[in-house]
Amino acid sequence: GENVEQHPSTLSVQEGDSAVIKCTYSDSASNYFPWYKQELGKRPQLIIDIRSNVGEKKDQRIAVTLNKTAKHFSLHITETQPEDSAVYFCAANGNNRLAFGKGNQVVVIP
Amino acid sequence: DTGVSQDPRHKITKRGQNVTFRCDPISEHNRLYWYRQTLGQGPEFLTYFQNEAQLEKSRLLSDRFSAERPKGSFSTLEIQRTEQGDSAMYLCASSSTEEQYFGPGTRLTVT
């Protein structure tokens, strides 16, 4: 089955700086890659996604890039704010199920 | 609130007891998923319904677990003879396409 790995596990950034989280996946048949943000005690919230026919997608301060050849995709957060502090999960679909990474704790230091 | 809802939000039970959780998906979504999440991990897939049909089950879903989605609307997840290792957050998600939207989860504690 699909195996998704995230790096780094924890990322601390100064407010206003950019944060980048990278994920790798194993199944070349995967064609949908969402990113979820989960704050403590809350549900995972879909923040952006990308499909395999697209290389990059942006939505205000967040963007996702996909490299199908290398089987990795990345989340970019620009101009980070304290409310961006959360755990971010990447996922890849395979056979109608999402396989999630273990998550990255992002801490934005005011 | 038109999002995914789950009930109860918290459940404490003694080992060996049976528990049942309910998920109400977004009304126009025909797909419904159950996941389990433990501390420091991402959600792990348990099972998936398209309308009322259960199309896939993870090997994580032992014989003590059963899920139903009668009439293709809400779904229930039952755990029989609970064990301490079943303690986790049980998340439900629904979708009409690839985009899955999660409910708030049911946190199960087995003592």
Side-chain angles (χ1 to χ4, degrees), chain A residues 88-101:
Chain A
Y88 291 82
F89 293 98
C90 63
N93 80 332
N95 298 322
N96 293 312
R97 60 170 73 181
L98 286 179
F100 284 83

Side-chain angles (χ1 to χ4, degrees), chain B residues 23 25 30-34 47-49 69 73 75 92-94:
Chain B
C23 170
N30 62 345
R31 300 176 193 174
L32 188 148
Y33 308 80
W34 285 99
T47 190
Y48 154 60
F49 290 85
R69 192 183 182 197
S73 55
S75 175
C92 173
S94 72

Side-chain angles (χ1 to χ4, degrees), chain A residues 16-36:
Chain A
D17 287 350
S18 295
V20 181
I21 305 168
K22 180 176 174 178
C23 281
T24 59
Y25 63 99
S26 61
D27 188 352
S28 57
S30 291
N31 59 8
Y32 173 69
F33 307 92
W35 283 90
Y36 287 84

Side-chain angles (χ1 to χ4, degrees), chain B:
Chain B
D1 186 358
T2 56
V4 179
S5 61
Q6 292 187 245
D7 184 70
R9 297 291 303 278
H10 303 273
K11 178 70 177 177
I12 300 173
T13 191
K14 292 186 177 180
R15 189 174 51 192
Q17 298 294 305
N18 299 343
V19 294
T20 300
F21 311 141
R22 177 180 170 126
C23 170
D24 286 272
I26 294 170
S27 59
E28 61 268 27
H29 286 180
N30 62 345
R31 300 176 193 174
L32 188 148
Y33 308 80
W34 285 99
Y35 292 86
R36 182 173 68 187
Q37 187 178 27
T38 54
L39 196 63
Q41 302 293 319
E44 295 175 292
F45 172 82
L46 292 178
T47 190
Y48 154 60
F49 290 85
Q50 182 152 325
N51 299 313
E52 66 274 11
Q54 188 173 17
L55 296 185
E56 200 165 343
K57 292 194 289 187
S58 163
R59 59 178 179 269
L60 290 175
L61 215 65
S62 75
D63 291 346
R64 297 184 296 105
F65 288 70
S66 62
E68 294 182 343
R69 192 183 182 197
K71 303 177 184 177
S73 55
F74 71 91
S75 175
T76 58
L77 178 68
E78 180 183 16
I79 309 174
Q80 296 182 329
R81 305 181 303 282
T82 52
E83 301 173 355
Q84 286 188 320
D86 296 332
S87 295
M89 175 72 83
Y90 289 84
L91 291 163
C92 173
S94 72
S95 73
S96 58
T97 60
E98 296 108 330
E99 299 169 359
Q100 294 185 25
Y101 296 92
F102 281 87
T106 295
R107 180 165 295 284
L108 174 66
T109 303
V110 182
T111 62

Side-chain angles (χ1 to χ4, degrees), chain A residues 1 3 14-15 28 30 35 43 48 65 88 93 105 108:
Chain A
N3 182 45
Q14 292 289 332
E15 182 178 356
S28 57
S30 291
W35 283 90
R43 71 185 77 191
I48 196 167
T65 57
Y88 291 82
N93 80 332
Q105 175 78 55
V108 179

Side-chain angles (χ1 to χ4, degrees), chain A residues 45-64:
Chain A
Q45 179 187 3
L46 178 65
I47 56 171
I48 196 167
D49 56 19
I50 192 166
R51 290 168 176 79
S52 59
N53 59 346
V54 175
E56 182 176 1
K57 183 177 178 181
K58 288 184 180 180
D59 183 4
Q60 298 182 339
R61 294 188 298 109
I62 59 174
V64 56

